[in-house]
Amino acid sequence: MNTGSNGIEGGPGEVAVVEEPDTDEADADRAKAAGTHGEQGLGSRAPAFVKRRRALHLSWQVGVFVIGLAVVAAGIVMLPLPGPGWVVIFGGMAIWATEFVWAQLVLRWTKRKVTEAAQRALDPKVRRRNITLTVIGLVIVGVLAGIYLYEFGFEMPWNIENQ
């Protein structure tokens, strides 16, 4: 992670800060230059007064990283436990995306893949296939449950003696 804190003026890792007026027109110009319509360009979304001071900006980045890490860790804990694990993980990624370009790129890729999957799922052929496979699976489970109940009744498998 290049934070620009190597102390060499103008050397590699130097953070360039460009002052722009905080107007909607400036935001529209940046979005147009970035080639996005309605999306912000890549980079830090920290307030301008934070970006102006290197130490404050580095502290801001560390804080955003720690908070995002805590949210992602909570999401990972929720995966095997009850709770919206994936939603919380993506929430942590969104927190990271406010400051880090790599997280912004990961979120864009994820949004694109989710949109593509949703479009594929809405295809009538795919929906028909999914419904057919679900019905076949439910019939198989029902038949197996019926066979079990016919053989053993409502007895749990661990309570069945040798028969």
Side-chain angles (χ1 to χ4, degrees):
M1 177 173 83
N2 185 5
T3 60
S5 60
N6 60 358
I8 300 172
E9 197 77 0
E14 180 67 24
V15 176
V17 178
V18 177
E19 297 273 338
E20 288 190 27
D22 292 333
T23 63
D24 292 334
E25 187 176 310
D27 290 339
D29 290 341
R30 275 196 299 268
K32 195 179 291 182
T36 59
H37 303 286
E39 285 186 31
Q40 282 188 329
L42 296 175
S44 175
R45 290 179 177 77
F49 74 92
V50 171
K51 289 182 187 178
R52 272 181 265 171
R53 293 168 186 84
R54 177 179 289 171
L56 188 57
H57 192 231
L58 181 59
S59 301
W60 180 274
Q61 285 180 326
V62 169
V64 167
F65 183 79
V66 169
I67 291 170
L69 185 63
V71 173
V72 168
I76 290 171
V77 168
M78 285 184 204
L79 286 176
L81 299 175
W86 285 110
V87 174
V88 174
I89 289 172
F90 288 124
M93 289 295 296
I95 291 170
W96 279 338
T98 63
E99 198 57 36
F100 303 108
V101 173
W102 61 267
Q104 293 168 0
L105 295 174
V106 167
L107 280 181
R108 284 184 183 179
W109 179 84
T110 304
K111 286 178 186 177
R112 188 173 62 248
K113 291 298 180 184
V114 167
T115 303
E116 290 171 5
Q119 291 301 319
R120 280 194 310 269
L122 293 175
D123 180 26
K125 287 182 180 179
V126 174
R127 289 187 71 200
R128 209 173 8 256
R129 182 199 65 203
N130 289 346
I131 290 171
T132 302
L133 290 174
T134 301
V135 168
I136 290 171
L138 289 173
V139 167
I140 290 172
V141 168
V143 167
L144 291 175
I147 291 171
Y148 178 85
L149 289 174
Y150 178 76
E151 285 289 321
F152 304 108
F154 285 105
E155 195 67 32
M156 289 297 177
W158 50 84
N159 293 335
I160 296 176
E161 303 274 333
N162 291 343
Q163 291 185 359

